Amino acid sequence: MENNYQYIDLNFEYTNRKGVLHNIANIEDEKILLAYESLRVSKRVEELIENPIKIIDSNSLLIIHHYLFQDVYQWAGKVRTVNISKDGKPFFDGERFNIAFQYIDNLIIEFKTLKNTNKKALAYKLAEILDNVNYLHPFRDGNGRTQREFLRLLALEKGMQLNLNPPDNKNVYQRYMHGTINSDTDTLYKLLLEQIENKKK
């Protein structure tokens, strides 16, 4: 749960007055909600590993988010209706989402046309997609988990395994976070290239 965004929500559409996200289970304690969300989403991730979703276009982001968070939030799979920022850095303006989704559609098309053997080109395009999807941040919560699953599924279509949050290597996740937070595509490219070169389907 990433409930440390800054945003204006005068109607309390997403949270109660204590700042806890509205949720299907009506949990009002943030720590309990965090544990509940983690458990439910982890189960859904395991299901996607067993039965992957094919990435068609940027709308697949919404499909993945809905699948992951369907047990927790009623707004699962729906784009946010508030503009958000984090640590003083604003994310993409929600009023222009259509333009951003179209741009990501083009990046996906470019990725799909690349040869499976061209690992450098694949890693570079994945880094570009990740950087743009992260800046888009289309959801009120769950953006990181959704984008990591989105990239994993894209890589899978090229016969590659990708895990940006492996339990046995925290350095991978730390570099991923550094790259996305700072829009450092060079760091993301190097990380992704290492991951797809070292792991085969």
Side-chain angles (χ1 to χ4, degrees):
M1 188 166 62
E2 301 157 358
N3 196 21
N4 53 353
Y5 294 120
Q6 290 80 48
Y7 66 103
I8 297 175
D9 183 11
L10 297 178
N11 296 321
F12 295 96
E13 180 178 353
Y14 289 104
T15 67
N16 62 21
R17 294 183 181 276
K18 296 180 180 179
V20 179
L21 288 166
H22 297 307
N23 56 89
I24 295 172
N26 292 319
I27 297 170
E28 296 187 0
D29 184 288
E30 188 168 8
K31 291 182 179 179
I32 295 175
L33 177 57
L34 178 62
Y36 177 82
E37 180 191 283
S38 178
L39 181 65
R40 293 289 183 170
V41 173
S42 294
K43 181 178 180 295
R44 293 299 184 182
V45 169
E46 291 176 3
E47 292 174 358
L48 284 182
I49 291 174
E50 292 296 323
N51 298 288
I53 292 173
K54 183 176 177 59
I55 302 300
I56 304 300
D57 52 27
S58 59
N59 190 62
S60 298
L61 280 165
L62 277 65
I63 294 172
I64 292 170
H65 187 273
H66 178 267
Y67 195 88
L68 294 180
F69 293 92
Q70 60 183 299
D71 307 306
V72 187
Y73 302 119
Q74 290 181 330
W75 40 266
K78 299 178 182 178
V79 296
R80 56 180 164 83
T81 58
V82 294
N83 286 326
I84 59 177
S85 62
K86 198 171 188 179
D87 298 326
K89 296 180 180 179
F91 291 105
F92 199 83
D93 186 346
E95 294 182 357
R96 298 187 293 133
F97 271 159
N98 286 342
I99 297 173
F101 278 112
Q102 289 173 11
Y103 183 70
I104 291 172
D105 284 340
N106 291 332
L107 295 179
I108 293 171
I109 291 171
E110 292 170 2
F111 175 79
K112 286 177 175 287
T113 62
L114 295 173
K115 293 182 179 179
N116 292 17
T117 54
N118 193 343
K119 295 292 193 280
K120 289 185 177 180
L122 290 169
Y124 182 84
K125 189 56 64 175
L126 283 173
E128 190 177 3
I129 291 171
L130 176 55
D131 182 51
N132 280 277
V133 169
N134 185 68
Y135 177 47
L136 178 62
H137 244 61
F139 310 109
R140 172 56 186 81
D141 190 71
N143 290 282
R145 281 164 287 183
T146 300
Q147 67 189 27
R148 289 193 296 274
E149 189 61 19
F150 183 71
L151 245 67
R152 184 188 74 80
L153 291 167
L154 272 175
L156 189 63
E157 292 183 14
K158 292 292 186 179
M160 303 177 298
Q161 289 187 345
L162 179 62
N163 186 350
L164 291 173
N165 191 16
D168 59 343
N169 190 344
K170 295 301 181 184
N171 180 255
V172 171
Y173 181 74
Q174 290 169 357
R175 292 165 65 193
Y176 151 78
M177 287 297 293
H178 171 83
T180 53
I181 290 173
N182 297 289
S183 192
D184 185 347
T185 52
D186 187 56
T187 291
L188 294 175
Y189 164 71
K190 291 176 181 176
L191 173 62
L192 289 164
L193 183 60
E194 288 174 14
Q195 294 302 299
I196 64 178
E197 281 187 334
N198 294 336
K199 297 179 181 179
K200 297 184 182 297
K201 185 178 178 182

